[in-house]
Amino acid sequence: MTPSTTDVPQGTVVLPYQPTRLSYGVVPKHLPKLEKENLKIVQVVSMVDRRKEEHRTFTLDKVKNENAKVIAQRSIYERVAGLGRTVFDPALKGMYGIREAKKEMTELFLEASK
């Protein structure tokens, strides 16, 4: 689910946003509606570049206060998407960053499926 959707989701909602206050700005207006529907919400701070101070402080706050999950900014995500594949495709084994990306996606899936 993107933070700007008007669809009515069901079950578990994965709510991604980038690690900036501007990107997060629309999330709080959606949370009460989702919580009212008794939906499980998994917040995901994506495209995190830990070299940037704003990204680090923002992400730490969301992990601590919102139990958000973190997906780092990795070129492998763009690369596999451009190939029309996922990080779990066995043909991509050994590509730079694939192991870390698979770990992040597995952790996100496990959290969403609890």
Side-chain angles (χ1 to χ4, degrees):
M1 174 181 175
T2 61
S4 62
T5 188
T6 56
D7 296 338
V8 179
Q10 298 178 358
T12 299
V13 176
V14 177
L15 187 63
Y17 48 86
Q18 293 180 17
T20 65
R21 310 237 183 278
L22 181 61
S23 178
Y24 180 76
V26 298
V27 173
K29 77 176 188 179
H30 292 287
L31 289 177
K33 179 181 176 186
L34 296 171
E35 290 167 348
K36 184 179 177 183
E37 298 293 327
N38 286 332
L39 299 168
K40 178 177 180 173
I41 304 162
V42 180
Q43 293 187 41
V44 180
V45 186
S46 64
M47 300 178 67
V48 175
D49 184 345
R50 289 185 171 91
R51 298 172 298 178
K52 297 179 179 179
E53 176 67 23
E54 173 70 10
H55 285 207
R56 283 194 312 272
T57 57
F58 180 89
T59 301
L60 285 172
D61 176 63
K62 295 304 165 208
V63 168
K64 179 180 175 185
N65 296 316
E66 307 287 340
N67 197 29
K69 301 304 166 199
V70 178
I71 302 296
Q73 182 177 6
R74 300 182 191 283
S75 61
I76 192 68
Y77 292 123
E78 292 178 32
R79 191 168 177 196
V80 299
L83 294 171
R85 299 174 182 234
T86 74
V87 296
F88 297 102
D89 190 323
L92 304 179
K93 183 179 179 182
M95 287 181 90
Y96 180 78
I98 201 86
R99 184 179 42 166
E100 295 85 355
K102 284 169 67 173
K103 182 179 177 199
E104 287 177 335
M105 289 297 116
T106 299
E107 289 173 359
L108 178 56
F109 172 76
L110 292 173
E111 180 63 28
S113 62
K114 283 184 184 176

